[in-house]
């Protein structure tokens, strides 16, 4: 996507040979500042993931893949395999819900099998690049498939924009490029279909307010920021035509983990007959799991993300403020699971299917025995 006249992906390398450096957009600085950073060590890559300089399912996977490259090129010669294995364990522990993280590390593990030293460095570099390119490509295809859903909604409501509600940020910032939930929105906007997006603020970290609103604004897509609890009211009053969210991990039966609060939007959509779609590349499926509520691990983050809020002060400085009594304790589950029965369809790089084992396997028959 373009920022200040330059095309950016969310993760890339700069330089050649020994000087080649991994770079990312520091998403904690948005929307107030566009800042990029270099990541030079595995510990720094882990910190970037844990502290959410990078975040979002696809980007977490791509960052982990590049993190293995960083591990391999900084590993001591006399403990190459041990160092890389320990680094992979550290990377794996950063964001437990994201299916793409496990998937990307498993891919790197396969590529490295039996290799060490320079050969291993070259192999994991090529695989990290392939994972990043595939992520961008798959998200572009999700846009093409999702476009037909938005076109159908536009035909049902001629003469006014299609109103789409989204939760959290599943745009290009959450992937290497394009995004999942927002990719069809960008495709529709670019095709001249009038669209308008309701952007859930997405407490506690406000990815909707700070990232989705920023992305949509830069692309010129009309949108309004809404309080997290407004969606149900809008649906009751016919102000939402479609909900499209992303996903962090989806079971083989179609249960979808996504940012906390997604389940409540799905319930409201179900009650009001509003189509509820989940957009994801196949790297987000966890074919080993069936029951998402029971089996998807849910990340619990620090209490201060709930107790505090961050924003630009009148003095022009980004500041954190406490929003509760100082001795109030808090809990902070980062994701919830929307059961497949509440999901109208899954938008993938291979097309749209029902949120069911049969629907998913109709697009991914090779995963039948996975
Ligand atoms: O905690 P985050 O910001 O890494 O959460 C990920 C998300 O942005 C959402 O859950 C998103 O809808 C799925 S990732 C494409």
């Amino acid at each position: 996507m373009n920022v200040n006249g330059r095309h950016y992906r969310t993760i890339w390398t700069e330089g050649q040979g020994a000087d080649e450096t991994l770079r990312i957009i520091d998403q904690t600085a948005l929307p107030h500042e566009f800042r990029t950073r270099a990541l030079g060590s595995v510990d720094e890559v882990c910190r970037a993931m844990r502290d959410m300089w990078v975040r979002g399912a696809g980007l977490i996977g791509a960052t982990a893949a590049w993190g293995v490259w960083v591990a391999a090129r900084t590993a001591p010669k006399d403990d190459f395999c041990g160092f890389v294995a320990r680094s992979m364990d550290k990377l794996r522990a950063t964001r437990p819900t994201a299916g793409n993280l496990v998937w990307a590390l498993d891919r790197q593990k396969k590529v490295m099998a039996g290799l060490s030293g320079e050969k291993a460095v070259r192999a994991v570099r090529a695989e990290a690049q392939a994972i990043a390119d595939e992520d961008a490509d798959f998200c572009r295809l999700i846009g093409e498939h999702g476009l037909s859903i938005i076109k159908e909604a536009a035909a049902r409501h001629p003469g006014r924009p299609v109103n789409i509600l989204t939760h959290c940020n599943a745009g290009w910032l959450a992937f290497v490029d394009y995004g999942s939930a927002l990719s069809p929105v960008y495709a529709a906007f670019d095709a001249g279909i009038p669209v308008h997006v309701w952007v859930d603020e997405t407490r506690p970290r406000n990815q909707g307010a700070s990232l989705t609103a920023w992305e949509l604004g830069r692309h010129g897509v009309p949108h309004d920021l809404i309080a997290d609890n407004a969606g149900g009211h809008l649906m009751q009053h016919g102000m939402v035509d479609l909900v499209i969210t992303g996903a962090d991990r989806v079971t083989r039966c179609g249960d979808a983990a996504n940012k906390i609060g997604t389940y409540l939007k799905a319930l409201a959509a179900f009650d009001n007959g509003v189509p509820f779609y989940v957009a994801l590349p196949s790297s987000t499926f966890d074919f080993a799991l069936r029951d998402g509520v029971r089996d998807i691990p849910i990340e619990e983050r620090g209490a201060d993300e709930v107790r505090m809020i961050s924003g630009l002060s009148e003095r022009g400085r980004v500041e954190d403020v406490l929003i509760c009594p100082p001795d109030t304790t808090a809990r902070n589950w980062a994701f919830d699971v929307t059961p497949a029965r509440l999901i109208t369809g899954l938008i993938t790089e291979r097309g749209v299917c029902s949120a069911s084992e049969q629907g998913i396997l109709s697009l991914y028959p090779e995963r039948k025995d996975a």
Side-chain angles (χ1 to χ4, degrees), residues 1 15 32 49 62 65 79 84 102 135 153 173 180 182 201 210 231 244 266 268 279 287 289 296 362 368:
M1 282 288 167
H32 309 300
M49 292 165 72
D79 183 30
V84 175
V102 182
D135 184 83
L173 287 168
S180 56
L182 293 191
E201 58 180 347
S210 57
I244 311 180
F287 283 95
L289 301 185
I296 296 178
S362 72
K368 188 166 172 289

Side-chain angles (χ1 to χ4, degrees), residues 153-293:
R156 284 198 300 275
H157 307 289
R160 66 160 178 80
V162 180
N163 286 304
I164 301 161
L165 184 140
T166 194
H167 191 68
C168 197
N169 173 263
W172 68 272
L173 287 168
F175 288 85
V176 173
D177 208 345
Y178 295 98
S180 56
L182 293 191
S183 188
V185 172
Y186 291 133
F189 179 81
D190 293 345
I193 298 169
V195 286
H196 166 266
V197 182
W198 298 113
V199 179
D200 282 352
E201 58 180 347
T202 319
R203 280 281 291 148
R205 288 191 66 109
N206 289 317
Q207 290 96 325
S210 57
L211 304 178
T212 300
W214 182 80
E215 272 195 33
L216 291 172
R218 296 201 80 85
H219 203 96
V221 179
H223 62 280
D224 285 289
L225 181 64
I226 53 173
D228 274 339
N229 298 325
H233 168 75
L234 298 185
M235 290 183 212
Q236 284 176 323
H237 290 270
M239 294 165 76
V240 181
D241 301 312
L242 284 178
V243 180
I244 311 180
T245 74
D248 295 272
R249 194 187 292 226
V250 175
T251 67
R252 66 185 291 131
C253 299
D255 296 341
N258 194 51
K259 184 52 59 190
I260 191 82
T262 304
Y263 170 50
L264 292 178
K265 297 300 142 64
L267 284 172
F270 193 76
D271 193 43
N272 289 282
V274 174
F276 184 99
Y277 286 92
V278 173
L280 71 155
S282 49
S283 45
T284 304
F285 282 116
D286 186 336
F287 283 95
L289 301 185
R290 290 185 168 276
D291 183 333
V293 175

